[in-house]
Amino acid sequence: MTRLAGFGAIAALALLAGTLPAEAQQKTLTVAAYGGVWDSHLRKEVFPEFEKKHGVKVEYVAGNSTDTLAKLQAQKSNQVIDVAIMDDGVMYQAIKLGFCAPIQGLDKSELYPAALFKDDKAVAVGQTGTGFMINTKVFKEKGWPIPTSWNDLKDPKFKKQLVIPPINNTYGLYTLMMFARMNGGGEKNIEPGFKVMKADVNPNVLVYEPSPGKMTELFQSGQANIAVWGTGRVQALANTGFPVDFIYPKEGAPILLASACPVAKASVNPLAHEMIKLLVSAPVQTGMAKEMGNGPVNTKVDVNMPELKMAPVGERAKLIIAPDWDAINASRDDWTKRWNREVER
């Protein structure tokens, strides 16, 4: 038997036994995160170098935050996902449910304090303000004033031209929360929010759309001209040359922290920690800011770059609102059921 044939026989037996030598195995790292520009940017600008450096194949699972959390719950006994990237509110739920392991070797010296989670169970990888996206060309042609208040979403001239993500998306949840806050309630008394949504906002809604791709299509086709969305998403669309702008409502723009955690399992993939540390590094944060308009979490990134003109940095940071996620998550399931029953029918 030749040496090559001998190795082939050994490899075949090892494969059958599930014990193929580590250097002959194809390592994979599964990352679950948002679709749209996140998907395209990470695949193009971040993953290739990581794959080459670590000899690994990165598998990307696109979906919104509640989708990713549902996958973690469904796969609880045998987790497939290695790195989960979700909105901060959903991340708090994931941590509470035990789905996140501490990030090993996280250097916090360059990170803003707001990016940090207790016990390093997660870390923010991008900051986004929540407000309005408007088609500036249509607004100018129609002579419409620029909206300045959440109450402007109730204006009858926007009938069937307004798009809001559903409540299982943080932007939809924040819309409900803001109307509650502005009408005598808040995270601990959501009733006023439901009242306004049903009576005053719902008639203007074209669709409650969760998909970033479909949201941009609705604007590009002229079906929608105003939406509730995040600074990063709006900046990414504006970067394509489409005439949109982001508006910070005067009552405040709730902050959304896109956050990452290594998924807890019997044997946490060590490359999960490396991926997360790469995502918060200054070079990657700079690239995400330029391409996606994400407010950086690394203090070494220049926040004065033109690509961050919509991001919640500098003077705009004064309009940011930090939600009470403990109160929200205690009632979120009930709110979702009620929303589906009374608002989005």
Side-chain angles (χ1 to χ4, degrees):
M1 180 181 292
T2 66
R3 185 178 178 185
L4 182 61
F7 177 78
I10 292 171
L13 290 171
L15 183 60
L16 288 172
T19 58
L20 193 62
E23 64 270 17
Q25 294 182 25
Q26 172 65 59
K27 293 191 296 183
T28 61
L29 180 77
T30 302
V31 177
Y34 315 106
V37 69
W38 276 81
D39 187 340
S40 58
H41 178 75
L42 293 179
R43 287 182 192 271
K44 180 182 177 183
E45 303 294 341
V46 179
F47 294 163
E49 184 178 340
F50 186 88
E51 290 175 327
K52 183 178 179 181
K53 178 180 179 180
H54 296 284
V56 66
K57 174 64 178 175
V58 178
E59 300 287 351
Y60 195 88
V61 181
N64 66 34
S65 298
T66 51
D67 290 339
T68 298
L69 181 60
K71 289 183 177 73
L72 293 175
Q73 291 173 311
Q75 299 167 3
K76 187 174 183 179
S77 60
N78 184 26
Q79 294 288 8
V80 173
I81 297 168
D82 295 304
V83 175
I85 300 177
M86 301 179 283
D87 297 349
D88 48 349
V90 180
M91 184 62 77
Y92 286 124
Q93 290 180 297
I95 292 172
K96 187 174 182 179
L97 291 168
F99 293 140
C100 295
I103 304 165
Q104 300 298 317
L106 179 65
D107 181 2
K108 294 177 273 191
S109 64
E110 294 185 354
L111 302 180
Y112 289 111
L116 305 177
F117 284 66
K118 185 179 178 182
D119 300 326
D120 295 341
K121 290 285 184 75
V123 65
V125 297
Q127 303 184 61
T128 294
T130 305
F132 311 144
M133 174 169 71
I134 64 167
N135 184 320
T136 54
K137 182 174 181 289
V138 170
F139 268 69
K140 185 176 181 179
E141 289 173 348
K142 292 183 177 290
W144 289 345
I146 301 300
T148 59
S149 166
W150 285 94
N151 282 325
D152 289 331
L153 298 184
K154 300 186 290 185
D155 192 320
K157 70 171 173 280
F158 297 135
K159 186 172 183 179
K160 299 306 178 185
Q161 296 188 59
L162 168 65
V163 181
I164 302 175
I167 195 173
N168 64 354
N169 181 297
T170 302
Y171 299 126
L173 177 70
Y174 280 168
T175 305
L176 176 67
M177 179 194 80
M178 286 306 301
F179 280 117
R181 282 187 171 211
M182 291 163 55
N183 291 277
E187 290 90 324
K188 295 181 179 179
N189 175 20
I190 206 67
E191 184 62 37
F194 272 106
K195 184 177 180 180
V196 173
M197 286 298 302
K198 289 189 292 183
D200 303 315
V201 178
N202 212 21
N204 287 347
V205 175
L206 172 68
V207 63
Y208 291 96
E209 181 52 62
S211 166
K214 290 182 180 178
M215 176 75 86
T216 58
E217 287 175 11
L218 289 169
F219 269 69
Q220 290 166 338
S221 67
Q223 293 174 268
N225 292 304
I226 182 170
V228 176
W229 226 16
T231 50
R233 296 290 189 186
V234 181
Q235 185 67 67
L237 181 55
N239 288 346
T240 69
F242 193 78
V244 290
D245 199 2
F246 183 86
I247 310 299
Y248 281 80
K250 63 183 180 182
E251 297 88 359
I255 189 73
L256 186 158
L257 297 175
S259 308
C261 85
V263 175
K265 53 182 78 177
S267 179
V268 177
N269 191 329
L271 292 181
H273 306 294
E274 298 306 312
M275 174 60 76
I276 292 171
K277 287 186 284 186
L278 177 63
L279 290 173
V280 298
S281 68
V284 171
Q285 284 286 297
T286 299
M288 292 169 72
K290 288 182 176 181
E291 179 73 19
M292 303 160 60
N294 275 353
V297 300
N298 191 302
T299 59
K300 301 299 183 182
V301 178
D302 177 16
V303 297
N304 294 312
M305 67 175 77
E307 293 88 350
L308 290 178
K309 66 180 182 179
M310 298 180 189
V313 297
E315 285 296 306
R316 293 184 297 278
K318 295 178 181 178
L319 288 167
I320 288 301
I321 290 174
D324 182 349
W325 278 111
D326 287 337
I328 290 172
N329 285 333
S331 302
R332 188 166 184 171
D333 287 346
D334 290 337
W335 295 357
T336 299
K337 292 174 184 175
R338 184 175 175 186
W339 174 286
N340 293 335
R341 189 172 61 244
E342 300 180 14
V343 179
E344 190 179 347
R345 294 180 293 176

